[in-house]
């Protein structure tokens, strides 16, 4: 999946997306597409993939890692939404 200093290749991304279409509960496809979306800045979509993976009830260490990743994404999404709001003006 990763070439060129750890960047996802488009071919690998396409294969994992196809795998996910065939099996929406594939842990590997959910994880790797989540990573690709996260690296691409698509935070809500990445969060959805990691949440779907968490719903599969992986082992506790994986669950903890997913909880931390989802929380970090939530922080980034909240920060991004605060910077997009128009400034407050009186009157």
């Amino acid at each position: 999946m990763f070439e060129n200093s750890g960047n996802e290749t488009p071919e690998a991304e396409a294969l994992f997306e196809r795998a996910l279409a065939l099996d929406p509960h594939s842990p590997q496809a959910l994880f790797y597409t989540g990573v690709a979306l996260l690296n691409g800045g698509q935070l809500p979509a990445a969060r959805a993939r990691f949440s779907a993976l968490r719903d599969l009830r992986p082992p506790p260490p994986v669950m903890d890692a997913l909880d931390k990743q989802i929380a970090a994404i939530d922080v980034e999404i909240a920060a991004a939404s605060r910077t997009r709001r128009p400034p407050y003006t009186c009157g």
Side-chain angles (χ1 to χ4, degrees):
M1 167 136 186
F2 300 99
E3 284 183 358
N4 307 324
S5 302
N7 295 319
E8 303 85 4
T9 63
E11 296 84 11
E13 286 183 47
L15 288 173
F16 278 111
E17 287 291 344
R18 184 165 181 236
L20 199 55
L22 294 172
D23 179 7
H25 303 291
S26 167
Q28 294 85 359
L30 286 167
F31 175 76
Y32 284 112
T33 56
V35 169
L37 290 164
L38 182 63
N39 289 341
Q42 298 178 44
L43 300 179
R47 187 192 191 291
R49 297 289 166 90
F50 292 134
S51 292
L53 180 55
R54 189 187 186 290
D55 290 344
L56 297 178
R57 300 299 216 184
V62 175
M63 186 84 79
D64 291 343
L66 288 169
D67 287 341
K68 289 176 185 174
Q69 185 61 66
I70 291 166
I73 291 171
D74 287 343
V75 168
E76 287 189 55
I77 290 172
S81 69
R82 282 193 299 274
T83 61
R84 288 189 200 130
R85 291 184 185 158
Y88 176 76
T89 58
C90 277

